[in-house]
Amino acid sequence: RTCKSVVLFNGDICKIGDWVLAVNRTAGESPTVACVREIIQRKDSEADMCLCPDAILLECGIIGESVMSYSMPSVRAHGEFLLYPIEQILCTVNLQHHCQAHKCAASGTEFIYEERAKTSKTKPVIHHSGDPGDLILNTAQMHDAKHMQGLRIPVRQPDMNLAILEGAAREVRTCTNDTISGASSSAHGRGVRGRQVNTSLRRHSQVQSVVLQG
């Protein structure tokens, strides 16, 4: 029989469809990122008596190249299935859809629940488009960081000389734009005041003309 969820040795609640980090310690392999497809429990087995699963069926994932905008690796399930005992499942991991590449938008809404009661309030919901299997491994998660360290992409150290040069150039452009904007505003202000003075003079002349004619 199959179970809906299982509590891993580190305390994580793992459900069907969750992604996990697994390692075959006997083979000395590197950790594998995989998706949980089934949690198997044989009836009347020793594991069943201890309320534990006998094995977990995983669909292995392929860790691809780094996604430059996030500095995190891409992951895709590739159809290879393996059975792992629960003690070889290290932790659950967080994967997110590559929304930037597929231009996913907050085009939907869902109702907000407060104290388990549905309210009339709504919040925007992202509707994923494109390839749903194009995923990014969130290596910035703090939970179980000791297991995630080996999967992190090293951050490239910036060229300090280039950074200083670009910063100085940006500052010069900002000051130049502010100066031009200020000059335009001053000229515009002088023009407005000039028109106001001319209008007042014309009205004064008209009043004088009416008085003289009277």
Side-chain angles (χ1 to χ4, degrees), residues 14 20 23 34 47 56 78 82 95 97 109 117 125-126 153 158 175 182 199 212 214:
C14 177
V20 297
V23 60
I56 298 179
H78 65 84
L82 294 173
L95 274 77
H97 185 242
T109 58
V125 177
I126 299 292
I153 302 226
C175 293
T199 302
L212 291 175

Side-chain angles (χ1 to χ4, degrees), residues 1-5 16 37-42 53 55 57:
R1 61 187 178 185
T2 58
C3 306
K4 293 181 178 179
S5 64
I16 302 294
R37 295 307 184 193
E38 283 189 17
I39 301 172
I40 303 169
Q41 188 178 56
R42 290 189 297 111
L57 181 65

Side-chain angles (χ1 to χ4, degrees), residues 18-138:
D18 286 351
W19 285 80
V20 297
L21 199 61
V23 60
N24 188 346
R25 293 189 174 93
T26 57
E29 298 175 352
S30 300
T32 300
V33 178
C35 185
V36 177
R37 295 307 184 193
E38 283 189 17
I39 301 172
I40 303 169
Q41 188 178 56
R42 290 189 297 111
K43 188 176 181 181
D44 298 328
S45 67
E46 184 178 347
D48 187 17
M49 299 298 180
C50 299
L51 301 178
C52 291
D54 287 276
I56 298 179
L57 181 65
L58 302 178
E59 182 179 4
C60 299
I62 297 177
I63 297 179
E65 297 180 353
S66 170
V67 180
M68 296 304 296
S69 53
Y70 300 101
S71 294
M72 296 180 184
S74 61
V75 174
R76 181 180 294 275
H78 65 84
E80 179 184 353
F81 293 86
L82 294 173
L83 280 174
Y84 275 80
I86 187 173
E87 58 267 19
Q88 292 185 356
I89 310 298
L90 300 177
C91 62
T92 57
V93 294
N94 178 256
L95 274 77
Q96 298 293 328
H97 185 242
H98 193 179
C99 293
Q100 183 184 37
H102 299 284
K103 297 180 172 55
C104 302
S107 55
T109 58
E110 68 178 19
F111 289 99
I112 297 174
Y113 284 77
E114 295 179 355
E115 297 182 359
R116 300 185 180 181
K118 184 178 178 180
T119 68
S120 59
K121 302 176 185 177
T122 60
K123 63 180 180 180
V125 177
I126 299 292
H127 280 180
H128 297 297
S129 58
D131 183 2
D134 188 5
L135 304 172
I136 298 173
L137 176 62
N138 178 17

